[in-house]
Every structure is written in C-alpha cells, then in structure tokens.
Amino acid sequence: MADQNAVRAAAEPVLSSRGLELVDVEIVGSGRARTLRILVDRDGGIELDTLAETTGPVASALDAAEAITGPYNLELSSPGLERPLRRPAEFRRFVGTTVSVKSHDVVAGARRHRGLLVEADDSGIDLDVDGEHRRFSYDAIASARTVFEWGPAPKPIGPAKRVAKERSG
C-alpha cells in the first residue's frame, strides 16, 4: 500500500532540486495494475523531456524511502489545463481565476460551484458565483480545480481572404 505523505516526502526533494513543484499524488487501481501518478509543474509549464529525465530519480527516491510497497507503475505527468487544487498555497496562487469546487454538503442549493476565486487564506476560500459570495472552509471542499476557459471562436474567413491565403500558403 502507499502512503501519500510518504510519497510526497520522498519525491519533493528530487522534484524541487530540478525546479519542479509537486502538485498532487494519485494512486489509481489496485494490485499489479496499480499506478502511482505524480503531477508536477513549474512556472511556464513543463516539457515531456523534463518528465522523462525526472522519472528515474523519483523512482529511486521512492524505492529508497520504501514509500510504496508492492508492484506499481510510476507516472509523472503535468496537471494539465484544469489542475487540482488541494492546499491553501495552491488556492492562493490561483486567486483571480475561475475555479470549480465540489462541496461535501449542499451550499446555496448545490454541491458543485463554479466561480471566480476571490480570496484564499489559511482557513478557506471566497468564491463569487454569478455575483453571489460563497465562503468554503478547506474541510468543506471535497474537490476543486481550475477551469480552462476557451476564448471566443475566430471569425470565419471570407471568400476573398480565403483565396489570398491559399495563394500565399
């Protein structure tokens, strides 16, 4: 079995020495099909080569610390466009962005809330959901993630511009 705190403790020094931030630890599946997924990031994003170069040292650190027992597959990955938020520091980093929060209990008639993250302090977060203020303690949050919002669709190209583009391309 794996202890997520033990995995964090073993992996974080390796990751931070390479300028990477440990975002989350997930254990998916069971038995021989178990995958230990460690989500990492850094300012400006992360490249596939960096993930590949870091996997071996992280695996060695996990094995040396005996952070996980039994067979497992290690997967280092980017958190993606919609990254999970778990710790107060992560929420503070994304103040001013749209987030999705799932609460343990019903709040304002719903368990799922999408809005602007207005504030994050040591005890919880403030969300603006369509002009309504909602306060959540961290204990009241079942899960939270950033929300990627697509920009407006580009204007269609008219026939004259399409012909000019085809000739130049």
Side-chain angles (χ1 to χ4, degrees):
M1 198 62 183
D3 175 5
Q4 290 187 353
N5 291 329
V7 169
R8 278 186 177 279
E12 275 185 316
V14 174
L15 296 170
S16 65
S17 73
R18 294 168 178 261
L20 302 173
E21 169 196 5
L22 192 152
V23 174
D24 200 14
V25 173
E26 301 174 347
I27 301 162
V28 183
S30 62
R32 291 198 159 296
R34 185 172 52 159
T35 298
L36 172 60
R37 183 174 300 133
I38 299 177
L39 303 179
V40 298
D41 202 6
R42 74 167 148 213
D43 288 339
I46 191 160
E47 307 81 27
L48 187 57
D49 289 344
T50 301
L51 293 172
E53 293 165 359
T54 307
T55 300
V58 168
S60 296
L62 293 171
D63 292 344
E66 298 179 0
I68 186 165
T69 58
Y72 68 94
N73 295 307
L74 176 61
E75 179 182 300
L76 256 59
S77 180
S78 160
L81 294 174
E82 295 191 342
R83 72 182 274 163
L85 302 172
R86 303 215 192 285
R87 296 176 286 184
E90 293 167 348
F91 282 95
R92 281 191 286 273
R93 180 174 171 189
F94 288 96
V95 166
T97 62
T98 302
V99 298
S100 175
V101 173
K102 183 178 177 185
S103 57
H104 290 292
D105 298 318
V106 174
V107 174
R111 288 188 61 218
R112 296 185 186 273
H113 314 271
R114 179 181 168 145
L116 182 68
L117 180 58
V118 178
E119 185 178 344
D121 56 34
D122 290 337
S123 60
I125 65 168
D126 293 316
L127 223 74
D128 179 336
V129 180
D130 298 325
E132 179 187 332
H133 175 266
R134 296 184 191 166
R135 174 80 181 167
F136 298 91
S137 69
Y138 292 115
D139 291 341
I141 298 172
S143 64
R145 62 177 171 77
T146 60
V147 174
F148 179 75
E149 295 181 330
W150 294 95
K155 290 182 179 180
I157 297 176
K161 286 185 179 179
R162 186 177 301 119
V163 169
K165 186 176 180 181
E166 288 172 0
R167 288 183 182 163
S168 66

